[in-house]
Amino acid sequence: MEVFGFSASVTKQQLVILNIIAIHICLVEMNFGAYLRVKPTILSHSLGWAVHLDSSFDTTVSIRQLCKEIGLIYSGQIGELKNHYLLQFNPSHSSSIYRDILIDWNATVKLDRKSKETFVSKKLHRRCIKDFILRSDNWLNVKNCDRTTEMIIQSIEKKLHKNSIVVWFSKQVPRQRIKRSLHFKDPQFKEQWHLQNNRQKNMDINVTGVWKLGIIGTGVTVAVVDDGVEWTNPDIFDNYNKEASWDLNDNDGDPMPNSNNNESNQHGTRCAGEIAAVANDVCGVGVAYGAKVSGVKVLDGPMTDSLEASAFNTKLQLNDVYSCSWGPEDDGTTVDGPHYLASKAMMQGIETGRQGYGSIYVVASGNGGANGDNCNYDGYANSPYTVTIGAIDEFGNMPFYAEECAAMLAVTFSSGQGRSRSIVTTDWSKCGGTGCTSQHSGTSAAAPIAAGIIALMLQARPCLTWRDVQYLIAITATKVDVDHAAWYVNAAGLHHSHKHGFGSMNAWRLVSAAKVWPSLPWMTVFTSGDNQVGDAIPMFPDILSVNYTVTADMLESYGLLLLEQVQVKVTLFHPQRGNLLIQLVCPSGTVSVIGAPRPKDNSSQGLDSWPFATVRCWGEEPHGTWQLLLTDTGKGKLQPGELVSWQIVLYGTPLSPNDFRQRLRWVQDATSSNPFESNVSIECPALLHSLPFTPIADKMLKVFCLSGMLLLFLACYESLENIFCYGEEKEEMKKLWLSQRSQIYSCDNTWNSRG
């Protein structure tokens, strides 16, 4: 007979000692069984079984009894699952298991007790049990004991299976679970510092946390309005939207860049890569690498007003965002912007695009900083219908090429100078291109990053209107370059800088805020009369100041309670336009430089109702006195200029200041926590236009108005004629009526007499 791995040839004294050890272990186990009623024990490096016990038995007694019978220890209830418990094997408290497995093991070697193999197995088994007890905290790492461990498992499961109070049991197996951190195979992802900057803390768009939530731009299409997109590039192909693309230069459906001339037409491909480069093993990834990109080829030839208009409306219901990294020349002398058709097309987009929520136009503020340019002389950048984006470098500073502007909404990252890196993105593979570049630069690189972030916002909340996007950017943007950017906090509590707009776009803050943002009420626009002035513009430090007061009564019918963008249309003469400094002071006292001096602008053409703009009064109240200030910063050798007239246009909403402050609090709460982990959920409103909406043409409106006026005139004429004319005819009609009435009366009397 064998006991505990020893043969019957052992002495009686040895058997007595072994029995004493076994009794001691049993007593320890019994004491531990009483202890389990007080405190469960969780062991690491151990075998464990989840068990479901019959609820008809007393739980405390059942667990204690089960642990004693099987030789396991109690490790607590499993979560909130009633009658489900975790039981674990502890080598120091499992003598009954050892007895059982030794008996089972003994039965397997009865046939040949004298063989060398049996002796080795017996010796190894004895050593394993001893090591299990001595190394109870780490017993699973004891080497060459797999067979012994297997027998322990078999013994335990055999007892669990036979036990009447066990409804179900399962051995707990460690399973691999990995943290869902981002691991891209794209070889240049680590160099895309604008996505994840490991050198400069907080100097990136803070997007990786958004990706981890599954927000990658799914369901959104961004149109790259440029010189074409090399859609066959493997870094773009899988995210290319063919149906939403068009070549306006060649009038076909293929926006492939032209490589038949000496020009470099890789610009659009680079921008497309920034937005939605595929997460694969090529180059890098896009900001919204789950979004689609389309190509609208328009810059490969002469630009006309009609061509621009077509570009802004290309596949209007398929494209959600239009990324435009181009504009008038940044030479510090040009004053230009969208003309009649392009302006109408942009209006059409914000009114009917995205099934009524409005197309979103992202434009670059310009690269004319080195020429002293200002983006308020760019009609695309200062339009109320665009998202104007400037640039900062890797250190959060304003690059040499960037332009200051009161109309700029925000900035994102791009190239700089010195140690600052440029943007890594997809490149075309034609004309010596490698398919990947680390040299994308300028505000051309900044605007597509913003377009990509907006795509993430639209996935998180598809019903954001074009104005919702503007509000969220203004509210959530973060300050950069704090010591040099001359930040100003307006009366609504928003900070703005002429260098950086409302600040740097932060993807996490924007997406979090979008999740809890209720749609805004409609936009309302107040336009003043054309204020004639005719006064000379004095030399600095003297200032020409003209005022216009907007009262609450004037705005009552407009429902304009809160400001968004403000335009000032200025007409003036001046022999050297670039000498002028033009400022606007809001009723709250907020000052905007809407027309900065431009040293290279020697034009004597002046300005003809040019619309300067500012967003620095955003969120403030509109009523009060508006002040326009002009001065000539030249050297006084020229004739003074003249302010001919000016007009103010206030864009706003019926949202009250209190409602706006409440929204600010919602955004603050959302961006300081994780709205995706909360129960906060705001339903999207019904589509503004369930069917495509076609506006009535201006000529048709005029016809309707004239027809209505004509009908009103005829109605008044007929009424007056009936009142003052035809006296004799009316007398005859009266006599006839009386005669007929008397006849009817006499007939009635006759009828009554017959009755």
mmCIF file with all atom_site columns, all heavy atoms in Angstrom, residues 532-549:
data_model
loop_
_atom_site.group_PDB
_atom_site.id
_atom_site.type_symbol
_atom_site.label_atom_id
_atom_site.label_alt_id
_atom_site.label_comp_id
_atom_site.label_asym_id
_atom_site.label_entity_id
_atom_site.label_seq_id
_atom_site.pdbx_PDB_ins_code
_atom_site.Cartn_x
_atom_site.Cartn_y
_atom_site.Cartn_z
_atom_site.occupancy
_atom_site.B_iso_or_equiv
_atom_site.pdbx_formal_charge
_atom_site.auth_seq_id
_atom_site.auth_comp_id
_atom_site.auth_asym_id
_atom_site.auth_atom_id
_atom_site.pdbx_PDB_model_num
ATOM 1   N N   . GLN A 1 532 ? -23.634 107.991 -44.424 1.00 0.00 ? 532 GLN A N   1
ATOM 2   C CA  . GLN A 1 532 ? -22.783 108.901 -45.179 1.00 0.00 ? 532 GLN A CA  1
ATOM 3   C C   . GLN A 1 532 ? -21.942 109.743 -44.225 1.00 0.00 ? 532 GLN A C   1
ATOM 4   O O   . GLN A 1 532 ? -22.437 110.240 -43.216 1.00 0.00 ? 532 GLN A O   1
ATOM 5   C CB  . GLN A 1 532 ? -23.629 109.805 -46.066 1.00 0.00 ? 532 GLN A CB  1
ATOM 6   C CG  . GLN A 1 532 ? -24.486 109.066 -47.089 1.00 0.00 ? 532 GLN A CG  1
ATOM 7   C CD  . GLN A 1 532 ? -23.652 108.303 -48.096 1.00 0.00 ? 532 GLN A CD  1
ATOM 8   O OE1 . GLN A 1 532 ? -22.628 108.802 -48.575 1.00 0.00 ? 532 GLN A OE1 1
ATOM 9   N NE2 . GLN A 1 532 ? -24.086 107.094 -48.435 1.00 0.00 ? 532 GLN A NE2 1
ATOM 10  N N   . VAL A 1 533 ? -20.664 109.904 -44.552 1.00 0.00 ? 533 VAL A N   1
ATOM 11  C CA  . VAL A 1 533 ? -19.765 110.643 -43.659 1.00 0.00 ? 533 VAL A CA  1
ATOM 12  C C   . VAL A 1 533 ? -19.116 111.812 -44.408 1.00 0.00 ? 533 VAL A C   1
ATOM 13  O O   . VAL A 1 533 ? -19.366 112.972 -44.115 1.00 0.00 ? 533 VAL A O   1
ATOM 14  C CB  . VAL A 1 533 ? -18.676 109.716 -43.071 1.00 0.00 ? 533 VAL A CB  1
ATOM 15  C CG1 . VAL A 1 533 ? -17.755 110.508 -42.135 1.00 0.00 ? 533 VAL A CG1 1
ATOM 16  C CG2 . VAL A 1 533 ? -19.317 108.555 -42.329 1.00 0.00 ? 533 VAL A CG2 1
ATOM 17  N N   . GLY A 1 534 ? -18.206 111.516 -45.349 1.00 0.00 ? 534 GLY A N   1
ATOM 18  C CA  . GLY A 1 534 ? -17.547 112.560 -46.121 1.00 0.00 ? 534 GLY A CA  1
ATOM 19  C C   . GLY A 1 534 ? -16.483 113.314 -45.353 1.00 0.00 ? 534 GLY A C   1
ATOM 20  O O   . GLY A 1 534 ? -16.155 114.445 -45.725 1.00 0.00 ? 534 GLY A O   1
ATOM 21  N N   . ASP A 1 535 ? -15.911 112.735 -44.296 1.00 0.00 ? 535 ASP A N   1
ATOM 22  C CA  . ASP A 1 535 ? -14.882 113.401 -43.487 1.00 0.00 ? 535 ASP A CA  1
ATOM 23  C C   . ASP A 1 535 ? -13.497 112.890 -43.856 1.00 0.00 ? 535 ASP A C   1
ATOM 24  O O   . ASP A 1 535 ? -13.317 111.735 -44.262 1.00 0.00 ? 535 ASP A O   1
ATOM 25  C CB  . ASP A 1 535 ? -15.121 113.156 -41.999 1.00 0.00 ? 535 ASP A CB  1
ATOM 26  C CG  . ASP A 1 535 ? -16.364 113.864 -41.488 1.00 0.00 ? 535 ASP A CG  1
ATOM 27  O OD1 . ASP A 1 535 ? -16.848 114.776 -42.193 1.00 0.00 ? 535 ASP A OD1 1
ATOM 28  O OD2 . ASP A 1 535 ? -16.869 113.484 -40.407 1.00 0.00 ? 535 ASP A OD2 1
ATOM 29  N N   . ALA A 1 536 ? -12.508 113.781 -43.674 1.00 0.00 ? 536 ALA A N   1
ATOM 30  C CA  . ALA A 1 536 ? -11.121 113.421 -43.957 1.00 0.00 ? 536 ALA A CA  1
ATOM 31  C C   . ALA A 1 536 ? -10.585 112.480 -42.878 1.00 0.00 ? 536 ALA A C   1
ATOM 32  O O   . ALA A 1 536 ? -10.989 112.546 -41.712 1.00 0.00 ? 536 ALA A O   1
ATOM 33  C CB  . ALA A 1 536 ? -10.267 114.677 -44.039 1.00 0.00 ? 536 ALA A CB  1
ATOM 34  N N   . ILE A 1 537 ? -9.652  111.633 -43.300 1.00 0.00 ? 537 ILE A N   1
ATOM 35  C CA  . ILE A 1 537 ? -9.015  110.693 -42.372 1.00 0.00 ? 537 ILE A CA  1
ATOM 36  C C   . ILE A 1 537 ? -7.711  111.329 -41.899 1.00 0.00 ? 537 ILE A C   1
ATOM 37  O O   . ILE A 1 537 ? -6.793  111.545 -42.702 1.00 0.00 ? 537 ILE A O   1
ATOM 38  C CB  . ILE A 1 537 ? -8.735  109.349 -43.058 1.00 0.00 ? 537 ILE A CB  1
ATOM 39  C CG1 . ILE A 1 537 ? -10.059 108.737 -43.568 1.00 0.00 ? 537 ILE A CG1 1
ATOM 40  C CG2 . ILE A 1 537 ? -8.037  108.387 -42.094 1.00 0.00 ? 537 ILE A CG2 1
ATOM 41  C CD1 . ILE A 1 537 ? -9.869  107.500 -44.423 1.00 0.00 ? 537 ILE A CD1 1
ATOM 42  N N   . PRO A 1 538 ? -7.583  111.624 -40.612 1.00 0.00 ? 538 PRO A N   1
ATOM 43  C CA  . PRO A 1 538 ? -6.412  112.367 -40.130 1.00 0.00 ? 538 PRO A CA  1
ATOM 44  C C   . PRO A 1 538 ? -5.176  111.483 -39.996 1.00 0.00 ? 538 PRO A C   1
ATOM 45  O O   . PRO A 1 538 ? -5.252  110.249 -40.020 1.00 0.00 ? 538 PRO A O   1
ATOM 46  C CB  . PRO A 1 538 ? -6.867  112.860 -38.754 1.00 0.00 ? 538 PRO A CB  1
ATOM 47  C CG  . PRO A 1 538 ? -7.835  111.820 -38.290 1.00 0.00 ? 538 PRO A CG  1
ATOM 48  C CD  . PRO A 1 538 ? -8.535  111.331 -39.519 1.00 0.00 ? 538 PRO A CD  1
ATOM 49  N N   . MET A 1 539 ? -4.031  112.161 -39.833 1.00 0.00 ? 539 MET A N   1
ATOM 50  C CA  . MET A 1 539 ? -2.786  111.451 -39.593 1.00 0.00 ? 539 MET A CA  1
ATOM 51  C C   . MET A 1 539 ? -2.713  111.016 -38.135 1.00 0.00 ? 539 MET A C   1
ATOM 52  O O   . MET A 1 539 ? -3.209  111.682 -37.234 1.00 0.00 ? 539 MET A O   1
ATOM 53  C CB  . MET A 1 539 ? -1.598  112.362 -39.916 1.00 0.00 ? 539 MET A CB  1
ATOM 54  C CG  . MET A 1 539 ? -1.549  112.847 -41.357 1.00 0.00 ? 539 MET A CG  1
ATOM 55  S SD  . MET A 1 539 ? -1.310  111.485 -42.523 1.00 0.00 ? 539 MET A SD  1
ATOM 56  C CE  . MET A 1 539 ? 0.270   110.867 -41.991 1.00 0.00 ? 539 MET A CE  1
ATOM 57  N N   . PHE A 1 540 ? -2.075  109.864 -37.918 1.00 0.00 ? 540 PHE A N   1
ATOM 58  C CA  . PHE A 1 540 ? -1.850  109.373 -36.561 1.00 0.00 ? 540 PHE A CA  1
ATOM 59  C C   . PHE A 1 540 ? -0.978  110.386 -35.804 1.00 0.00 ? 540 PHE A C   1
ATOM 60  O O   . PHE A 1 540 ? -0.048  110.943 -36.376 1.00 0.00 ? 540 PHE A O   1
ATOM 61  C CB  . PHE A 1 540 ? -1.155  108.015 -36.624 1.00 0.00 ? 540 PHE A CB  1
ATOM 62  C CG  . PHE A 1 540 ? -0.923  107.382 -35.284 1.00 0.00 ? 540 PHE A CG  1
ATOM 63  C CD1 . PHE A 1 540 ? -1.941  106.701 -34.642 1.00 0.00 ? 540 PHE A CD1 1
ATOM 64  C CD2 . PHE A 1 540 ? 0.300   107.496 -34.652 1.00 0.00 ? 540 PHE A CD2 1
ATOM 65  C CE1 . PHE A 1 540 ? -1.732  106.121 -33.402 1.00 0.00 ? 540 PHE A CE1 1
ATOM 66  C CE2 . PHE A 1 540 ? 0.519   106.926 -33.413 1.00 0.00 ? 540 PHE A CE2 1
ATOM 67  C CZ  . PHE A 1 540 ? -0.499  106.236 -32.777 1.00 0.00 ? 540 PHE A CZ  1
ATOM 68  N N   . PRO A 1 541 ? -1.276  110.700 -34.532 1.00 0.00 ? 541 PRO A N   1
ATOM 69  C CA  . PRO A 1 541 ? -2.161  109.987 -33.601 1.00 0.00 ? 541 PRO A CA  1
ATOM 70  C C   . PRO A 1 541 ? -3.612  110.465 -33.600 1.00 0.00 ? 541 PRO A C   1
ATOM 71  O O   . PRO A 1 541 ? -4.399  109.976 -32.800 1.00 0.00 ? 541 PRO A O   1
ATOM 72  C CB  . PRO A 1 541 ? -1.511  110.268 -32.254 1.00 0.00 ? 541 PRO A CB  1
ATOM 73  C CG  . PRO A 1 541 ? -0.944  111.628 -32.403 1.00 0.00 ? 541 PRO A CG  1
ATOM 74  C CD  . PRO A 1 541 ? -0.469  111.724 -33.827 1.00 0.00 ? 541 PRO A CD  1
ATOM 75  N N   . ASP A 1 542 ? -3.966  111.438 -34.465 1.00 0.00 ? 542 ASP A N   1
ATOM 76  C CA  . ASP A 1 542 ? -5.362  111.852 -34.523 1.00 0.00 ? 542 ASP A CA  1
ATOM 77  C C   . ASP A 1 542 ? -6.207  110.739 -35.146 1.00 0.00 ? 542 ASP A C   1
ATOM 78  O O   . ASP A 1 542 ? -5.726  109.960 -35.975 1.00 0.00 ? 542 ASP A O   1
ATOM 79  C CB  . ASP A 1 542 ? -5.493  113.131 -35.341 1.00 0.00 ? 542 ASP A CB  1
ATOM 80  C CG  . ASP A 1 542 ? -4.829  114.315 -34.647 1.00 0.00 ? 542 ASP A CG  1
ATOM 81  O OD1 . ASP A 1 542 ? -4.766  114.302 -33.399 1.00 0.00 ? 542 ASP A OD1 1
ATOM 82  O OD2 . ASP A 1 542 ? -4.345  115.217 -35.351 1.00 0.00 ? 542 ASP A OD2 1
ATOM 83  N N   . ILE A 1 543 ? -7.467  110.682 -34.764 1.00 0.00 ? 543 ILE A N   1
ATOM 84  C CA  . ILE A 1 543 ? -8.347  109.591 -35.185 1.00 0.00 ? 543 ILE A CA  1
ATOM 85  C C   . ILE A 1 543 ? -9.692  110.159 -35.622 1.00 0.00 ? 543 ILE A C   1
ATOM 86  O O   . ILE A 1 543 ? -10.247 111.038 -34.956 1.00 0.00 ? 543 ILE A O   1
ATOM 87  C CB  . ILE A 1 543 ? -8.559  108.578 -34.036 1.00 0.00 ? 543 ILE A CB  1
ATOM 88  C CG1 . ILE A 1 543 ? -7.240  107.889 -33.660 1.00 0.00 ? 543 ILE A CG1 1
ATOM 89  C CG2 . ILE A 1 543 ? -9.587  107.516 -34.416 1.00 0.00 ? 543 ILE A CG2 1
ATOM 90  C CD1 . ILE A 1 543 ? -7.350  106.990 -32.443 1.00 0.00 ? 543 ILE A CD1 1
ATOM 91  N N   . LEU A 1 544 ? -10.200 109.650 -36.739 1.00 0.00 ? 544 LEU A N   1
ATOM 92  C CA  . LEU A 1 544 ? -11.568 109.950 -37.141 1.00 0.00 ? 544 LEU A CA  1
ATOM 93  C C   . LEU A 1 544 ? -12.480 108.915 -36.488 1.00 0.00 ? 544 LEU A C   1
ATOM 94  O O   . LEU A 1 544 ? -12.308 107.714 -36.681 1.00 0.00 ? 544 LEU A O   1
ATOM 95  C CB  . LEU A 1 544 ? -11.706 109.880 -38.663 1.00 0.00 ? 544 LEU A CB  1
ATOM 96  C CG  . LEU A 1 544 ? -13.149 109.962 -39.202 1.00 0.00 ? 544 LEU A CG  1
ATOM 97  C CD1 . LEU A 1 544 ? -13.802 111.289 -38.844 1.00 0.00 ? 544 LEU A CD1 1
ATOM 98  C CD2 . LEU A 1 544 ? -13.168 109.733 -40.721 1.00 0.00 ? 544 LEU A CD2 1
ATOM 99  N N   . SER A 1 545 ? -13.432 109.385 -35.699 1.00 0.00 ? 545 SER A N   1
ATOM 100 C CA  . SER A 1 545 ? -14.352 108.496 -34.987 1.00 0.00 ? 545 SER A CA  1
ATOM 101 C C   . SER A 1 545 ? -15.779 108.778 -35.438 1.00 0.00 ? 545 SER A C   1
ATOM 102 O O   . SER A 1 545 ? -16.241 109.923 -35.379 1.00 0.00 ? 545 SER A O   1
ATOM 103 C CB  . SER A 1 545 ? -14.227 108.711 -33.473 1.00 0.00 ? 545 SER A CB  1
ATOM 104 O OG  . SER A 1 545 ? -15.197 107.951 -32.780 1.00 0.00 ? 545 SER A OG  1
ATOM 105 N N   . VAL A 1 546 ? -16.462 107.723 -35.902 1.00 0.00 ? 546 VAL A N   1
ATOM 106 C CA  . VAL A 1 546 ? -17.870 107.848 -36.281 1.00 0.00 ? 546 VAL A CA  1
ATOM 107 C C   . VAL A 1 546 ? -18.657 106.785 -35.520 1.00 0.00 ? 546 VAL A C   1
ATOM 108 O O   . VAL A 1 546 ? -18.171 105.677 -35.289 1.00 0.00 ? 546 VAL A O   1
ATOM 109 C CB  . VAL A 1 546 ? -18.064 107.699 -37.799 1.00 0.00 ? 546 VAL A CB  1
ATOM 110 C CG1 . VAL A 1 546 ? -17.480 108.884 -38.535 1.00 0.00 ? 546 VAL A CG1 1
ATOM 111 C CG2 . VAL A 1 546 ? -17.437 106.408 -38.320 1.00 0.00 ? 546 VAL A CG2 1
ATOM 112 N N   . ASN A 1 547 ? -19.877 107.156 -35.127 1.00 0.00 ? 547 ASN A N   1
ATOM 113 C CA  . ASN A 1 547 ? -20.682 106.278 -34.272 1.00 0.00 ? 547 ASN A CA  1
ATOM 114 C C   . ASN A 1 547 ? -21.988 105.883 -34.954 1.00 0.00 ? 547 ASN A C   1
ATOM 115 O O   . ASN A 1 547 ? -22.509 106.611 -35.816 1.00 0.00 ? 547 ASN A O   1
ATOM 116 C CB  . ASN A 1 547 ? -21.010 106.970 -32.944 1.00 0.00 ? 547 ASN A CB  1
ATOM 117 C CG  . ASN A 1 547 ? -19.762 107.331 -32.158 1.00 0.00 ? 547 ASN A CG  1
ATOM 118 O OD1 . ASN A 1 547 ? -18.723 106.694 -32.323 1.00 0.00 ? 547 ASN A OD1 1
ATOM 119 N ND2 . ASN A 1 547 ? -19.862 108.343 -31.315 1.00 0.00 ? 547 ASN A ND2 1
ATOM 120 N N   . TYR A 1 548 ? -22.501 104.756 -34.513 1.00 0.00 ? 548 TYR A N   1
ATOM 121 C CA  . TYR A 1 548 ? -23.840 104.332 -34.916 1.00 0.00 ? 548 TYR A CA  1
ATOM 122 C C   . TYR A 1 548 ? -24.464 103.605 -33.734 1.00 0.00 ? 548 TYR A C   1
ATOM 123 O O   . TYR A 1 548 ? -23.882 102.655 -33.200 1.00 0.00 ? 548 TYR A O   1
ATOM 124 C CB  . TYR A 1 548 ? -23.794 103.409 -36.136 1.00 0.00 ? 548 TYR A CB  1
ATOM 125 C CG  . TYR A 1 548 ? -25.164 102.997 -36.622 1.00 0.00 ? 548 TYR A CG  1
ATOM 126 C CD1 . TYR A 1 548 ? -25.921 103.847 -37.423 1.00 0.00 ? 548 TYR A CD1 1
ATOM 127 C CD2 . TYR A 1 548 ? -25.705 101.762 -36.267 1.00 0.00 ? 548 TYR A CD2 1
ATOM 128 C CE1 . TYR A 1 548 ? -27.180 103.474 -37.862 1.00 0.00 ? 548 TYR A CE1 1
ATOM 129 C CE2 . TYR A 1 548 ? -26.960 101.381 -36.696 1.00 0.00 ? 548 TYR A CE2 1
ATOM 130 C CZ  . TYR A 1 548 ? -27.699 102.240 -37.492 1.00 0.00 ? 548 TYR A CZ  1
ATOM 131 O OH  . TYR A 1 548 ? -28.949 101.879 -37.926 1.00 0.00 ? 548 TYR A OH  1
ATOM 132 N N   . THR A 1 549 ? -25.633 104.047 -33.324 1.00 0.00 ? 549 THR A N   1
ATOM 133 C CA  . THR A 1 549 ? -26.296 103.459 -32.156 1.00 0.00 ? 549 THR A CA  1
ATOM 134 C C   . THR A 1 549 ? -27.407 102.517 -32.590 1.00 0.00 ? 549 THR A C   1
ATOM 135 O O   . THR A 1 549 ? -28.280 102.874 -33.388 1.00 0.00 ? 549 THR A O   1
ATOM 136 C CB  . THR A 1 549 ? -26.872 104.562 -31.248 1.00 0.00 ? 549 THR A CB  1
ATOM 137 O OG1 . THR A 1 549 ? -25.802 105.408 -30.807 1.00 0.00 ? 549 THR A OG1 1
ATOM 138 C CG2 . THR A 1 549 ? -27.550 103.947 -30.031 1.00 0.00 ? 549 THR A CG2 1
#
